[in-house]
Amino acid sequence: MNKQLSHYVNRDLSWIEFNRRVLQEAQDLNNPLLERVKFLAIVSSNLDEFMSVRVAGIQDQLRAGYTKIDFTGYTPAGLWKRLIKRTTQMVQDQYKTYREVFRSLGKEGIAIREFEELNASQKKTVSEYFHEIVFPVLTPMAVDQSRPFPLLHTKELYLSVLLKREDDPEDEEPLFAIVQVPSILPRFVPVPGRINSKKTEFVLLEELIEQFIDTLFNGYMTFAVHPFRLTRNADLSLNEDGAEDLLEEIEKELRRRRWGVPVRLEVDRGMHPYSLELLKEELEIEDNLIEIDGPLDLSFLMKFAHAVPGYDNLRYEKTEPIYPQEFDETDDMFEVIRQRDVLMYHPYESFEAVNDFVMQAAYDNDVLAIKMTLYRVSGHSALVQALAKAAESGKQVTVVVELKARFDEERNIAWARQLEKAGCHVVYGLVGLKTHAKIMLVVRREQGTLRRYVHVGTGNYNDSTATLYTDIGLFTSHPIIGGDASALFNEVTGYSSPYDWKAFGVAPTDLKEKLFRLIDRERNNALAGLPARIVAKMNSLSNQEMIDKLYEASAAGVKIELIVRGVCCLRPGVLGRSENIKVISIVDRYLEHARVMYFHNNGDEEVYLSSADWMTRNLTRRIELMCPVFDPDLRRALINMLQLNLNDNVKSRELQPNGSYVRVQNDMLPFRSQFAARAIPQWKNYM
């Protein structure tokens, strides 16, 4: 393999670069301390998913003896070695950052203490907490000839315990047991304040259990207690064709997920060699073993950062999303949308408007039908409640629930059952395809005719993530979009011949081809000496055909600016191939999640919203949607939004030809796009 000749960055190595950018936010001294803590948690959560899905997939290839080189020039074996090396280094950097952040937090009066650091009064209080709250839920699991090694659940925290009897000879092999640290209890235990001290102190739950571990093993001496954590392969492998009931099949597969092949073992640095060897042997793990100098699984820091009372000076300034001004002074959202399209930019504008729209539709006597897709839904979704209410009132309510939304399967199963009980028609999509499109259709009777109202979004119908992710939503009653929306639902829920889409691009049938036509149009304009420009914002870009198409356009002279938050397999700035392509990534307070595409079209500009990233799975194995924005004012607003991102020189990094990222530096005044976007509605008139 000659990596110098590769035209592409490997997807998994690119992902590691993305998670490193997240880690850089934890390292950024300009970010408030408790926000840096959150970024440390995100690094851990991201790495968990990466290990349980992507690295697990490579492990499967190795077990199957797969040796084929991928389009970026890597064999599974070669990629595995690089991933293990780079993720191990990332974890080391993460824990170095953890220590630095908590040293700074200590100066502010926030500390996670070891038990021995507590005074007598504090020890007494946490001891009472252990005996009253923790001890009753602990279950020691001995491992010996009569009790086999227990099933260890993925991503749960355990303690390995070595024991012996007092009269055992010194060379006697120790006894081994496992204790699960109960995830039902908070990982951090508040410690009462010291006299004349304003410090906020905590002790970790595993530290507390370790201090009192002898209470679980009466008559034995414990002499080595160390935390460890296992990550298993979490990818679902469904035979949808043979599944009579998809919901039941997924429930079975979720139970099987607990038995997934071990992928990674995290252990406390300094773990006793006997315990370590036993775990490695039982779990059959050799080369993805990570020794950690600090608390295992820093994802708990997200709850920790939220739970610390006060200290607003160590957090981002509180901001409240504003209610879209178009709906602010009306009780009839249908009337507003009849008159003009409405664009919303979350989280700066409130997702409550979407909830209110569904609620109004549920109670409106003239609404005949509501149809929508649900991919990821929050734990207490007002949307689901409104849909149930609409069905109970006699409206035709059809909900396409994606049961295979990774790691949200159980929640979606629960919502599906709740909706079915309320009388909704629940559809689980098409065999072999995830339904990832974000669309809602409301059919309303008006003056003897029917009018369709449509909401199309770039993000999920999830009011929780809508406060954390940047996404775009469009309300419209445009008849062409309404017609396409009806046809889309007919294809997903019934039998329908391929439709001649008037406005939409829909995967897997024609979205990729439509994007190719739009890119080729810019290329042809450039070859004809006309202005040609593409600006595209997305989460990931990894489809080889799409990258090659962009290379062709760049070579023809099209100016291409890509805003790709995460994975990007395209190499920009390569002479003769991609010198006209610039790629930036913005990692900041909110997760950049919107998918927006702009094409200059010789001055007759076109802008599209989409649910799809430019990845193979989105373009070929999912039901995805790309929708044009017809209103010229809203098109200009989205172009302005893209320009905000392109002008960011504070939280923006630029992709280099070698696959690394460097912070954008220029002579402009500091400009942070997410802070500028808070100035709603001024962003719509930016530049």
Side-chain angles (χ1 to χ4, degrees), residues 63-97:
R63 283 199 169 95
Y66 190 80
T67 58
K68 187 177 179 180
I69 296 175
D70 68 14
F71 79 92
T72 67
Y74 282 92
T75 63
L79 183 57
W80 173 271
K81 291 178 183 177
R82 284 162 179 78
L83 292 179
I84 299 304
K85 180 179 179 180
R86 294 193 189 185
T87 53
T88 300
Q89 182 62 53
M90 177 180 293
V91 170
Q92 292 174 359
D93 294 344
Q94 181 191 18
Y95 277 85
K96 179 182 177 184
T97 306

mmCIF file of all heavy atoms in Angstrom, residues 63-97:
data_model
loop_
_atom_site.group_PDB
_atom_site.id
_atom_site.type_symbol
_atom_site.label_atom_id
_atom_site.label_comp_id
_atom_site.label_asym_id
_atom_site.label_seq_id
_atom_site.Cartn_x
_atom_site.Cartn_y
_atom_site.Cartn_z
ATOM 1 N N ARG A 63 -11.680 -11.657 11.775
ATOM 2 C CA ARG A 63 -12.053 -13.024 12.135
ATOM 3 C C ARG A 63 -12.442 -13.835 10.900
ATOM 4 O O ARG A 63 -12.248 -15.043 10.845
ATOM 5 C CB ARG A 63 -13.219 -13.002 13.128
ATOM 6 C CG ARG A 63 -12.798 -12.644 14.542
ATOM 7 C CD ARG A 63 -13.873 -13.097 15.538
ATOM 8 N NE ARG A 63 -13.388 -12.994 16.904
ATOM 9 C CZ ARG A 63 -13.604 -11.958 17.699
ATOM 10 N NH1 ARG A 63 -14.302 -10.937 17.269
ATOM 11 N NH2 ARG A 63 -13.122 -11.945 18.922
ATOM 12 N N ALA A 64 -13.039 -13.148 9.929
ATOM 13 C CA ALA A 64 -13.475 -13.839 8.708
ATOM 14 C C ALA A 64 -12.342 -14.004 7.701
ATOM 15 O O ALA A 64 -12.543 -14.571 6.621
ATOM 16 C CB ALA A 64 -14.631 -13.067 8.071
ATOM 17 N N GLY A 65 -11.141 -13.489 8.028
ATOM 18 C CA GLY A 65 -10.016 -13.601 7.116
ATOM 19 C C GLY A 65 -10.087 -12.662 5.930
ATOM 20 O O GLY A 65 -9.466 -12.900 4.890
ATOM 21 N N TYR A 66 -10.826 -11.585 6.069
ATOM 22 C CA TYR A 66 -11.014 -10.624 4.971
ATOM 23 C C TYR A 66 -9.743 -9.790 4.806
ATOM 24 O O TYR A 66 -9.256 -9.177 5.765
ATOM 25 C CB TYR A 66 -12.196 -9.730 5.307
ATOM 26 C CG TYR A 66 -12.673 -8.832 4.187
ATOM 27 C CD1 TYR A 66 -13.490 -9.308 3.172
ATOM 28 C CD2 TYR A 66 -12.315 -7.487 4.156
ATOM 29 C CE1 TYR A 66 -13.937 -8.491 2.154
ATOM 30 C CE2 TYR A 66 -12.751 -6.658 3.148
ATOM 31 C CZ TYR A 66 -13.564 -7.158 2.146
ATOM 32 O OH TYR A 66 -14.007 -6.334 1.150
ATOM 33 N N THR A 67 -9.192 -9.750 3.625
ATOM 34 C CA THR A 67 -7.914 -9.054 3.400
ATOM 35 C C THR A 67 -7.982 -8.004 2.298
ATOM 36 O O THR A 67 -6.968 -7.405 1.945
ATOM 37 C CB THR A 67 -6.817 -10.073 3.035
ATOM 38 O OG1 THR A 67 -7.215 -10.795 1.860
ATOM 39 C CG2 THR A 67 -6.579 -11.051 4.179
ATOM 40 N N LYS A 68 -9.165 -7.779 1.744
ATOM 41 C CA LYS A 68 -9.295 -6.846 0.619
ATOM 42 C C LYS A 68 -8.954 -5.419 1.047
ATOM 43 O O LYS A 68 -9.297 -4.981 2.156
ATOM 44 C CB LYS A 68 -10.720 -6.893 0.073
ATOM 45 C CG LYS A 68 -10.921 -6.089 -1.199
ATOM 46 C CD LYS A 68 -12.339 -6.249 -1.729
ATOM 47 C CE LYS A 68 -12.564 -5.424 -2.990
ATOM 48 N NZ LYS A 68 -13.947 -5.563 -3.510
ATOM 49 N N ILE A 69 -8.299 -4.694 0.168
ATOM 50 C CA ILE A 69 -7.950 -3.293 0.424
ATOM 51 C C ILE A 69 -9.150 -2.414 0.107
ATOM 52 O O ILE A 69 -9.791 -2.568 -0.939
ATOM 53 C CB ILE A 69 -6.739 -2.870 -0.434
ATOM 54 C CG1 ILE A 69 -5.497 -3.684 -0.036
ATOM 55 C CG2 ILE A 69 -6.461 -1.380 -0.285
ATOM 56 C CD1 ILE A 69 -4.289 -3.420 -0.914
ATOM 57 N N ASP A 70 -9.491 -1.480 1.009
ATOM 58 C CA ASP A 70 -10.626 -0.581 0.757
ATOM 59 C C ASP A 70 -10.207 0.558 -0.169
ATOM 60 O O ASP A 70 -9.040 0.671 -0.550
ATOM 61 C CB ASP A 70 -11.220 -0.053 2.073
ATOM 62 C CG ASP A 70 -10.294 0.897 2.816
ATOM 63 O OD1 ASP A 70 -9.296 1.386 2.227
ATOM 64 O OD2 ASP A 70 -10.549 1.166 4.004
ATOM 65 N N PHE A 71 -11.167 1.411 -0.540
ATOM 66 C CA PHE A 71 -10.864 2.435 -1.551
ATOM 67 C C PHE A 71 -9.912 3.504 -1.041
ATOM 68 O O PHE A 71 -9.393 4.301 -1.813
ATOM 69 C CB PHE A 71 -12.156 3.055 -2.103
ATOM 70 C CG PHE A 71 -12.800 4.092 -1.224
ATOM 71 C CD1 PHE A 71 -12.512 5.445 -1.368
ATOM 72 C CD2 PHE A 71 -13.726 3.718 -0.253
ATOM 73 C CE1 PHE A 71 -13.122 6.402 -0.577
ATOM 74 C CE2 PHE A 71 -14.342 4.663 0.542
ATOM 75 C CZ PHE A 71 -14.043 6.012 0.392
ATOM 76 N N THR A 72 -9.644 3.518 0.269
ATOM 77 C CA THR A 72 -8.674 4.478 0.810
ATOM 78 C C THR A 72 -7.289 3.863 0.956
ATOM 79 O O THR A 72 -6.360 4.534 1.403
ATOM 80 C CB THR A 72 -9.142 5.018 2.180
ATOM 81 O OG1 THR A 72 -9.127 3.949 3.143
ATOM 82 C CG2 THR A 72 -10.538 5.580 2.094
ATOM 83 N N GLY A 73 -7.156 2.567 0.598
ATOM 84 C CA GLY A 73 -5.832 1.950 0.579
ATOM 85 C C GLY A 73 -5.481 1.112 1.786
ATOM 86 O O GLY A 73 -4.309 0.758 1.966
ATOM 87 N N TYR A 74 -6.447 0.758 2.627
ATOM 88 C CA TYR A 74 -6.151 0.017 3.851
ATOM 89 C C TYR A 74 -6.763 -1.374 3.829
ATOM 90 O O TYR A 74 -7.909 -1.560 3.402
ATOM 91 C CB TYR A 74 -6.695 0.760 5.080
ATOM 92 C CG TYR A 74 -5.842 1.933 5.508
ATOM 93 C CD1 TYR A 74 -6.103 3.211 5.028
ATOM 94 C CD2 TYR A 74 -4.773 1.756 6.379
ATOM 95 C CE1 TYR A 74 -5.324 4.281 5.411
ATOM 96 C CE2 TYR A 74 -3.983 2.830 6.769
ATOM 97 C CZ TYR A 74 -4.264 4.090 6.283
ATOM 98 O OH TYR A 74 -3.490 5.149 6.664
ATOM 99 N N THR A 75 -6.013 -2.350 4.334
ATOM 100 C CA THR A 75 -6.573 -3.656 4.653
ATOM 101 C C THR A 75 -7.141 -3.580 6.073
ATOM 102 O O THR A 75 -6.748 -2.713 6.860
ATOM 103 C CB THR A 75 -5.500 -4.745 4.614
ATOM 104 O OG1 THR A 75 -4.521 -4.466 5.630
ATOM 105 C CG2 THR A 75 -4.830 -4.801 3.250
ATOM 106 N N PRO A 76 -8.053 -4.506 6.433
ATOM 107 C CA PRO A 76 -8.547 -4.501 7.812
ATOM 108 C C PRO A 76 -7.432 -4.621 8.841
ATOM 109 O O PRO A 76 -7.452 -3.948 9.884
ATOM 110 C CB PRO A 76 -9.490 -5.705 7.852
ATOM 111 C CG PRO A 76 -9.968 -5.853 6.447
ATOM 112 C CD PRO A 76 -8.795 -5.476 5.595
ATOM 113 N N ALA A 77 -6.428 -5.462 8.581
ATOM 114 C CA ALA A 77 -5.337 -5.652 9.543
ATOM 115 C C ALA A 77 -4.519 -4.369 9.707
ATOM 116 O O ALA A 77 -4.174 -3.972 10.833
ATOM 117 C CB ALA A 77 -4.443 -6.806 9.102
ATOM 118 N N GLY A 78 -4.211 -3.725 8.590
ATOM 119 C CA GLY A 78 -3.440 -2.485 8.674
ATOM 120 C C GLY A 78 -4.210 -1.380 9.357
ATOM 121 O O GLY A 78 -3.648 -0.608 10.156
ATOM 122 N N LEU A 79 -5.505 -1.308 9.062
ATOM 123 C CA LEU A 79 -6.334 -0.275 9.679
ATOM 124 C C LEU A 79 -6.489 -0.530 11.178
ATOM 125 O O LEU A 79 -6.444 0.403 11.988
ATOM 126 C CB LEU A 79 -7.700 -0.236 9.002
ATOM 127 C CG LEU A 79 -8.674 0.846 9.470
ATOM 128 C CD1 LEU A 79 -8.072 2.232 9.323
ATOM 129 C CD2 LEU A 79 -9.987 0.751 8.696
ATOM 130 N N TRP A 80 -6.684 -1.819 11.561
ATOM 131 C CA TRP A 80 -6.845 -2.174 12.974
ATOM 132 C C TRP A 80 -5.655 -1.657 13.793
ATOM 133 O O TRP A 80 -5.837 -1.041 14.849
ATOM 134 C CB TRP A 80 -6.976 -3.689 13.097
ATOM 135 C CG TRP A 80 -6.976 -4.198 14.512
ATOM 136 C CD1 TRP A 80 -5.890 -4.549 15.264
ATOM 137 C CD2 TRP A 80 -8.112 -4.394 15.352
ATOM 138 N NE1 TRP A 80 -6.279 -4.958 16.509
ATOM 139 C CE2 TRP A 80 -7.636 -4.872 16.590
ATOM 140 C CE3 TRP A 80 -9.479 -4.224 15.169
ATOM 141 C CZ2 TRP A 80 -8.486 -5.177 17.650
ATOM 142 C CZ3 TRP A 80 -10.330 -4.531 16.223
ATOM 143 C CH2 TRP A 80 -9.842 -5.000 17.447
ATOM 144 N N LYS A 81 -4.442 -1.901 13.316
ATOM 145 C CA LYS A 81 -3.246 -1.489 14.062
ATOM 146 C C LYS A 81 -3.218 0.025 14.254
ATOM 147 O O LYS A 81 -2.909 0.524 15.341
ATOM 148 C CB LYS A 81 -1.990 -1.944 13.320
ATOM 149 C CG LYS A 81 -1.787 -3.448 13.318
ATOM 150 C CD LYS A 81 -0.549 -3.828 12.516
ATOM 151 C CE LYS A 81 -0.380 -5.343 12.458
ATOM 152 N NZ LYS A 81 0.792 -5.734 11.625
ATOM 153 N N ARG A 82 -3.563 0.761 13.202
ATOM 154 C CA ARG A 82 -3.522 2.219 13.305
ATOM 155 C C ARG A 82 -4.620 2.742 14.239
ATOM 156 O O ARG A 82 -4.407 3.692 15.000
ATOM 157 C CB ARG A 82 -3.656 2.833 11.914
ATOM 158 C CG ARG A 82 -2.371 2.723 11.103
ATOM 159 C CD ARG A 82 -2.600 2.916 9.608
ATOM 160 N NE ARG A 82 -1.354 2.839 8.874
ATOM 161 C CZ ARG A 82 -0.728 1.690 8.562
ATOM 162 N NH1 ARG A 82 -1.255 0.537 8.930
ATOM 163 N NH2 ARG A 82 0.414 1.701 7.891
ATOM 164 N N LEU A 83 -5.784 2.113 14.169
ATOM 165 C CA LEU A 83 -6.879 2.566 15.029
ATOM 166 C C LEU A 83 -6.567 2.328 16.501
ATOM 167 O O LEU A 83 -6.809 3.198 17.350
ATOM 168 C CB LEU A 83 -8.177 1.851 14.645
ATOM 169 C CG LEU A 83 -8.777 2.196 13.289
ATOM 170 C CD1 LEU A 83 -10.048 1.387 13.048
ATOM 171 C CD2 LEU A 83 -9.083 3.684 13.188
ATOM 172 N N ILE A 84 -6.028 1.146 16.825
ATOM 173 C CA ILE A 84 -5.697 0.849 18.217
ATOM 174 C C ILE A 84 -4.630 1.822 18.720
ATOM 175 O O ILE A 84 -4.718 2.359 19.830
ATOM 176 C CB ILE A 84 -5.223 -0.605 18.370
ATOM 177 C CG1 ILE A 84 -6.337 -1.566 17.934
ATOM 178 C CG2 ILE A 84 -4.794 -0.882 19.805
ATOM 179 C CD1 ILE A 84 -7.647 -1.378 18.656
ATOM 180 N N LYS A 85 -3.628 2.069 17.896
ATOM 181 C CA LYS A 85 -2.562 2.990 18.297
ATOM 182 C C LYS A 85 -3.102 4.399 18.523
ATOM 183 O O LYS A 85 -2.800 5.047 19.540
ATOM 184 C CB LYS A 85 -1.467 3.006 17.214
ATOM 185 C CG LYS A 85 -0.304 3.931 17.546
ATOM 186 C CD LYS A 85 0.752 3.879 16.440
ATOM 187 C CE LYS A 85 1.920 4.820 16.757
ATOM 188 N NZ LYS A 85 2.957 4.784 15.673
ATOM 189 N N ARG A 86 -3.943 4.876 17.613
ATOM 190 C CA ARG A 86 -4.418 6.259 17.716
ATOM 191 C C ARG A 86 -5.466 6.435 18.802
ATOM 192 O O ARG A 86 -5.495 7.467 19.480
ATOM 193 C CB ARG A 86 -4.962 6.727 16.357
ATOM 194 C CG ARG A 86 -3.870 6.818 15.302
ATOM 195 C CD ARG A 86 -4.325 7.575 14.074
ATOM 196 N NE ARG A 86 -3.345 7.467 13.006
ATOM 197 C CZ ARG A 86 -3.426 8.112 11.847
ATOM 198 N NH1 ARG A 86 -4.457 8.915 11.611
ATOM 199 N NH2 ARG A 86 -2.496 7.961 10.929
ATOM 200 N N THR A 87 -6.327 5.447 18.982
ATOM 201 C CA THR A 87 -7.323 5.576 20.055
ATOM 202 C C THR A 87 -6.659 5.467 21.417
ATOM 203 O O THR A 87 -7.069 6.145 22.368
ATOM 204 C CB THR A 87 -8.427 4.509 19.922
ATOM 205 O OG1 THR A 87 -7.848 3.209 19.830
ATOM 206 C CG2 THR A 87 -9.288 4.776 18.706
ATOM 207 N N THR A 88 -5.635 4.625 21.534
ATOM 208 C CA THR A 88 -4.897 4.535 22.802
ATOM 209 C C THR A 88 -4.248 5.870 23.135
ATOM 210 O O THR A 88 -4.296 6.337 24.283
ATOM 211 C CB THR A 88 -3.838 3.418 22.729
ATOM 212 O OG1 THR A 88 -4.488 2.173 22.466
ATOM 213 C CG2 THR A 88 -3.076 3.312 24.038
ATOM 214 N N GLN A 89 -3.644 6.504 22.124
ATOM 215 C CA GLN A 89 -3.033 7.816 22.345
ATOM 216 C C GLN A 89 -4.082 8.855 22.715
ATOM 217 O O GLN A 89 -3.863 9.702 23.586
ATOM 218 C CB GLN A 89 -2.274 8.255 21.091
ATOM 219 C CG GLN A 89 -1.565 9.598 21.236
ATOM 220 C CD GLN A 89 -0.499 9.582 22.313
ATOM 221 O OE1 GLN A 89 0.373 8.724 22.315
ATOM 222 N NE2 GLN A 89 -0.572 10.530 23.251
ATOM 223 N N MET A 90 -5.257 8.775 22.078
ATOM 224 C CA MET A 90 -6.323 9.725 22.382
ATOM 225 C C MET A 90 -6.767 9.601 23.836
ATOM 226 O O MET A 90 -6.992 10.603 24.525
ATOM 227 C CB MET A 90 -7.514 9.505 21.445
ATOM 228 C CG MET A 90 -8.701 10.412 21.743
ATOM 229 S SD MET A 90 -10.070 10.108 20.619
ATOM 230 C CE MET A 90 -9.366 10.676 19.086
ATOM 231 N N VAL A 91 -6.900 8.360 24.308
ATOM 232 C CA VAL A 91 -7.315 8.153 25.693
ATOM 233 C C VAL A 91 -6.273 8.719 26.653
ATOM 234 O O VAL A 91 -6.614 9.347 27.668
ATOM 235 C CB VAL A 91 -7.562 6.656 25.955
ATOM 236 C CG1 VAL A 91 -7.757 6.392 27.449
ATOM 237 C CG2 VAL A 91 -8.787 6.188 25.182
ATOM 238 N N GLN A 92 -5.000 8.534 26.342
ATOM 239 C CA GLN A 92 -3.947 9.109 27.187
ATOM 240 C C GLN A 92 -4.058 10.631 27.233
ATOM 241 O O GLN A 92 -3.966 11.246 28.304
ATOM 242 C CB GLN A 92 -2.578 8.684 26.670
ATOM 243 C CG GLN A 92 -2.284 7.207 26.837
ATOM 244 C CD GLN A 92 -0.972 6.793 26.181
ATOM 245 O OE1 GLN A 92 -0.263 7.604 25.579
ATOM 246 N NE2 GLN A 92 -0.647 5.512 26.269
ATOM 247 N N ASP A 93 -4.285 11.241 26.086
ATOM 248 C CA ASP A 93 -4.438 12.699 26.035
ATOM 249 C C ASP A 93 -5.701 13.140 26.775
ATOM 250 O O ASP A 93 -5.717 14.193 27.427
ATOM 251 C CB ASP A 93 -4.499 13.167 24.580
ATOM 252 C CG ASP A 93 -3.197 12.937 23.841
ATOM 253 O OD1 ASP A 93 -2.166 12.707 24.498
ATOM 254 O OD2 ASP A 93 -3.213 12.959 22.589
ATOM 255 N N GLN A 94 -6.765 12.343 26.669
ATOM 256 C CA GLN A 94 -8.018 12.677 27.343
ATOM 257 C C GLN A 94 -7.830 12.703 28.856
ATOM 258 O O GLN A 94 -8.303 13.624 29.535
ATOM 259 C CB GLN A 94 -9.093 11.664 26.964
ATOM 260 C CG GLN A 94 -10.449 11.922 27.601
ATOM 261 C CD GLN A 94 -11.410 10.756 27.429
ATOM 262 O OE1 GLN A 94 -10.982 9.642 27.128
ATOM 263 N NE2 GLN A 94 -12.686 11.001 27.626
ATOM 264 N N TYR A 95 -7.126 11.708 29.384
ATOM 265 C CA TYR A 95 -6.962 11.653 30.839
ATOM 266 C C TYR A 95 -5.949 12.677 31.340
ATOM 267 O O TYR A 95 -6.060 13.164 32.472
ATOM 268 C CB TYR A 95 -6.604 10.236 31.279
ATOM 269 C CG TYR A 95 -7.855 9.393 31.406
ATOM 270 C CD1 TYR A 95 -8.403 8.738 30.308
ATOM 271 C CD2 TYR A 95 -8.531 9.305 32.608
ATOM 272 C CE1 TYR A 95 -9.576 8.011 30.409
ATOM 273 C CE2 TYR A 95 -9.708 8.573 32.727
ATOM 274 C CZ TYR A 95 -10.228 7.932 31.623
ATOM 275 O OH TYR A 95 -11.395 7.222 31.745
ATOM 276 N N LYS A 96 -4.992 13.026 30.524
ATOM 277 C CA LYS A 96 -4.113 14.144 30.875
ATOM 278 C C LYS A 96 -4.942 15.427 30.973
ATOM 279 O O LYS A 96 -4.783 16.225 31.909
ATOM 280 C CB LYS A 96 -3.016 14.299 29.821
ATOM 281 C CG LYS A 96 -2.070 15.460 30.098
ATOM 282 C CD LYS A 96 -1.037 15.599 28.986
ATOM 283 C CE LYS A 96 -0.135 16.810 29.242
ATOM 284 N NZ LYS A 96 0.828 17.025 28.133
ATOM 285 N N THR A 97 -5.847 15.608 30.034
ATOM 286 C CA THR A 97 -6.739 16.770 30.062
ATOM 287 C C THR A 97 -7.661 16.709 31.271
ATOM 288 O O THR A 97 -7.920 17.733 31.922
ATOM 289 C CB THR A 97 -7.565 16.842 28.763
ATOM 290 O OG1 THR A 97 -6.697 16.812 27.637
ATOM 291 C CG2 THR A 97 -8.413 18.098 28.725
#
